[in-house]
Amino acid sequence: MTDIATRTWDGMTIPVAGTYLLDQAHKRIGFLSRHMMVSPVRGEFAEATAQITVADDPLLSSVTATIMSASITTGSVDRDTHLKSADFLDVERFPTLEYRSTGITWQGNEDPIFQWARLRNHRLGGRGRSHIVPPQSDGIPGRFVLTGELTVKGITRAVDLEVNFGGARRDPYGQNIFGFSATASINREDYGLLWNVVLESGGVLVGKTVQIEIAGEAIYQA
């Protein structure tokens, strides 16, 4: 355990350098796809591990993650069984999905809507009165882009994660932690997940685009 849980970087409170592991009690490795072209279906992988190496220079930090493919759950036993089959993840042959970061860039810590307002000289509130756009509050997280490679069914493709850094602190149990969330969008067919049914009314049964939704906490390792 370090004596100091956090440090300041570019006006933001970030974790001290070191190795952090994903907290199993505070994580969601989720995804969203569309059924029948109209309705969103959410699911998640219940079992996953990740190691985050926070460098002295935060922009040199790195992430590796392993997701157990058989832990997929969408709230439907029949659908989950199909997703585990050779039509989709083929969990018997490919028990894990892997992610490895290759770089990180800093996107700033300003709420995008305020940034847009400044760029467009937007009037908030209307009725002819010009308003000052408020500065960033402490509750607005920092934003990064994590470049990396996702491997599914033995196929590796580049995937960039839009990461929101949620903050760093020492928790009531004396652990140094930080929180984050991340999103990305992938085409499942890029990974050989080709199964589908063409609808008579047009379109397909299962959407090709999958949105990745990640949230969690990471704990410093002594």
Side-chain angles (χ1 to χ4, degrees):
M1 178 64 63
T2 61
D3 293 331
I4 301 174
T6 61
R7 54 187 168 141
T8 300
W9 178 79
D10 201 12
M12 183 172 60
T13 299
I14 66 169
V16 294
T19 299
Y20 294 75
L21 296 182
L22 182 65
D23 183 357
Q24 295 300 304
H26 299 94
K27 74 176 189 307
R28 181 176 185 272
I29 313 299
F31 59 88
L32 179 149
S33 186
R34 289 199 172 269
H35 178 251
M36 300 285 289
M37 307 295 293
V38 295
S39 61
V41 174
R42 275 189 163 86
E44 64 180 270
F45 292 90
E47 298 177 20
T49 60
Q51 177 174 301
I52 304 167
T53 302
V54 177
D56 289 328
D57 178 351
L59 299 184
L60 297 178
S61 300
S62 62
V63 179
T64 57
T66 298
I67 301 166
M68 305 306 296
S69 56
S71 71
I72 191 170
T73 176
T74 64
S76 167
V77 173
D78 289 342
R79 181 167 54 222
D80 293 348
T81 299
H82 192 194
L83 290 172
K84 295 174 187 179
S85 75
D87 283 342
F88 287 97
L89 292 175
D90 197 0
V91 301
E92 294 295 329
R93 294 181 58 207
F94 303 98
T96 65
L97 294 74
E98 307 285 340
Y99 184 80
R100 179 182 68 88
S101 69
T102 56
I104 185 170
T105 56
W106 169 233
Q107 301 295 298
N109 55 6
E110 180 178 52
D111 191 324
I113 195 168
F114 291 154
Q115 184 181 48
W116 175 85
R118 288 190 177 92
L119 290 174
R120 294 294 302 272
N121 194 24
H122 186 62
R123 295 176 182 269
L124 300 180
R127 295 194 179 276
R129 293 182 300 166
S130 179
H131 291 259
I132 301 299
V133 178
Q136 176 207 341
S137 70
D138 291 339
I140 299 173
R143 296 177 295 117
F144 297 84
V145 172
L146 189 68
T147 58
E149 297 177 336
L150 175 65
T151 301
V152 181
K153 294 183 71 173
I155 299 174
T156 301
R157 296 283 185 265
V159 172
D160 292 347
L161 290 169
E162 299 280 345
V163 180
N164 279 345
F165 171 70
R169 64 177 61 240
R170 180 163 292 166
D171 72 11
Y173 305 101
Q175 301 178 114
N176 293 347
I177 67 169
F178 68 89
F180 60 91
S181 61
T183 59
S185 181
I186 64 172
N187 184 335
R188 64 182 176 86
E189 293 189 345
D190 290 343
Y191 298 92
L193 308 178
L194 303 177
W195 185 92
N196 224 327
V197 174
V198 177
L199 303 174
E200 291 183 3
S201 57
V204 292
L205 182 66
V206 183
K208 297 178 182 180
T209 300
V210 178
Q211 296 178 21
I212 299 171
E213 305 170 327
I214 300 171
E217 291 180 8
I219 304 175
Y220 179 81
Q221 304 299 295

